[in-house]
Amino acid sequence: MSETLPEEPTPLSESEIVAARRAKLKRFRDELGFEPYGQREDGLVALADARARFSEEAHVAYESAAKEAKAAAAAGGAVAPVADGRAQVKIAGRVVQHRDMGKLVFLFLRDATGDLQVSVSKSAVSAQAFELAKHADYGDILVAEGPIGRTNKGEVCVWASAVSLGAKSLAAPPEKWHGLSDPELRYRRRYVDMYANPETAKVFAMRARIISRIRRFMDARGYLEVETPVLQPIAGGAAARPFTTHHNALDMQLFMRIAPELYLKRCLVGGMRKVYEINRNYRNEGIDRSHNPEFTAMEVYEAFGDYGTMMELTESLIHDLAVSMVEERRAAGLRVEEKGPNGGPVLPWGDLAIDYAKPFVRVKFEDLFRRGAGCEMRDFKAVRAKARELGLHHEAKLDDWLVVNEVFEECAEPLIDPCRPTFVTDYPSAVSPLTRPHRDDPTLCGRWDIFIGGMEVGPAYTELNDPDIQLAKFTEQLKGADDEESTFRTLDEDFIEALRVGMPPAGGLGIGIDRLVMLLTDSASIRDVILFPLLRSMSAGGGAGAEHGE
């Protein structure tokens, strides 16, 4: 006679899970007397700090004293209280593991600093607290206090003397508690992603530290951090399509900032010598691996500097950030290369190992164009032929220099070594309307772009401060705008007036903070380093994977 195997239990549906959790919430409140959504808790310590307070010496001493007391009691002697020299802690975290052993319940709690076991013995806590621990669900937030010790198997834990409820989780947890794996769900439910996938929370903690280091670096260099308007009457400072809004009280159309450039330059006119702003910008354009409509950038301006000033600043800043990230990876126990072949810090980014040794690579736009396109960039006939060969069929509608720029992007940019930060210098003036032309060759200008890992991380300029040339360039730019662009592009007459007041010669810089964080934290997508990236609405169908470029 063959043995009949027991059937696997049928998994609960999400609605059944939610119903069961609501029933527990009612029981915790009505029968056990717990407030399901907690209260103020003073004296909480982070889980990592609690773990660090463990003392093997204190734990062994306590266990020895407890055994002696137990032996004395068994022999009929007087029972004296056992001295407990272990550190007492009070912690809070979300339940990520749960094991019921009858009279002993093991819980693993998680917070932003890591995981820690809580051991709940029926004999050590109140009956209500033990019932709470016994029936806690994955995702519940619990508060526990007691001595920090370890189990017989050597696991550091809190031996709970009290357990209470911080918040009852009513939602179904990620399947089998393996964390969210689908990128769409991770971006949409970031609040779940951060505790289900601890690496996510670590990336955003690193992002915060990177931005703090940038501020310290800039402040130490004597730059003053300022704030400029997000709502602007004119979309200026960059060639990008803005988001529009309307101010009811003033009955005027406004644009969300696409760049702070023109306002920061006004600061130079007003007498500030060195200014910077870490700001949110908004551009009504496509979404892909390195673009998000809402992004963070830093812009910097220094009176009496130029694009060379900005090059030294950028090289030193990024190098210093890379050094600090190597140290951070080493402290976290992650593999690091002590030094690259050029003697500098090396950080992984996907399959790449990027060497941030100084000096960074420098190459002229014209030289790189020649190598990539196989012709001179000033030979417009040959350049247009190359554009047609590349399938850029709209080249006939473009100005010669715009065709040069498009061919450069297709043929020359791929030649840049993604493993070495590279400054591409001396762009054509025609594609840089806010940049001062070179005196010896006005067709070129004082501009560079820095490329790392195959991405453009930011440009810098020797700023144009001649009001007449700037007015001519703005006017020329407006003439080249199509009907759609002309609806939001307007000549910023106040900025021209500011230049007429007099702006000192200056260097200016823009760095994409999100892209820099991607590189420094080994994150593949810009949406991995933005807490709540913009996604297509669920009602519209599709999601993160349906966005442009994915």
Side-chain angles (χ1 to χ4, degrees), residues 449-465:
D449 284 9
I450 184 169
F451 293 83
I452 310 175
M455 290 191 299
E456 180 193 345
V457 177
Y461 310 101
T462 297
E463 300 297 340
L464 180 58
N465 63 338

Side-chain angles (χ1 to χ4, degrees), residues 343-363:
V346 177
L347 290 172
W349 192 55
D351 296 332
L352 302 177
I354 301 179
D355 185 348
Y356 291 91
K358 294 200 300 183
F360 294 172
V361 178
R362 291 151 170 75
V363 60

Side-chain angles (χ1 to χ4, degrees), residues 369-530:
F369 183 95
R370 185 184 304 112
R371 285 169 48 200
C375 62
E376 296 295 332
M377 71 176 188
R378 300 168 197 261
D379 185 348
F380 298 134
K381 183 177 179 180
V383 171
R384 288 187 179 276
K386 185 65 179 181
R388 291 190 293 272
E389 178 187 322
L390 293 170
L392 304 176
H393 301 299
H394 60 295
E395 56 83 20
K397 301 178 182 178
L398 298 178
D399 173 86
D400 288 338
W401 285 110
L402 292 180
V403 178
V404 168
N405 195 55
E406 294 219 0
V407 171
F408 178 85
E409 292 177 353
E410 289 288 327
C411 294
E413 285 186 9
L415 300 180
I416 299 171
D417 182 356
C419 293
R420 287 286 286 137
T422 300
F423 292 107
V424 178
T425 67
D426 304 319
Y427 275 66
S429 292
V431 299
S432 305
L434 294 169
T435 312
R436 177 185 284 192
H438 288 322
R439 286 186 177 181
D440 55 347
D441 186 354
T443 61
L444 303 179
C445 64
R447 168 186 165 185
W448 56 253
D449 284 9
I450 184 169
F451 293 83
I452 310 175
M455 290 191 299
E456 180 193 345
V457 177
Y461 310 101
T462 297
E463 300 297 340
L464 180 58
N465 63 338
D466 183 322
D468 295 334
I469 296 178
Q470 185 66 86
L471 177 61
K473 283 183 173 287
F474 275 161
T475 304
E476 182 181 349
Q477 193 177 40
L478 284 171
K479 287 180 180 178
D482 58 28
D483 292 340
E484 182 182 6
E485 288 177 326
S486 64
T487 62
F488 60 80
R489 282 193 181 176
T490 308
L491 177 63
D492 191 337
E493 294 179 352
D494 181 73
F495 176 67
I496 297 298
E497 182 59 29
L499 292 185
R500 290 182 181 132
V501 171
M503 185 183 90
L509 163 69
I511 292 180
I513 297 295
D514 304 307
R515 293 185 183 183
L516 190 56
V517 172
M518 285 172 62
L519 291 161
L520 295 174
T521 62
D522 192 15
S523 299
S525 169
I526 195 170
R527 282 171 290 187
D528 293 330
V529 299
I530 295 176

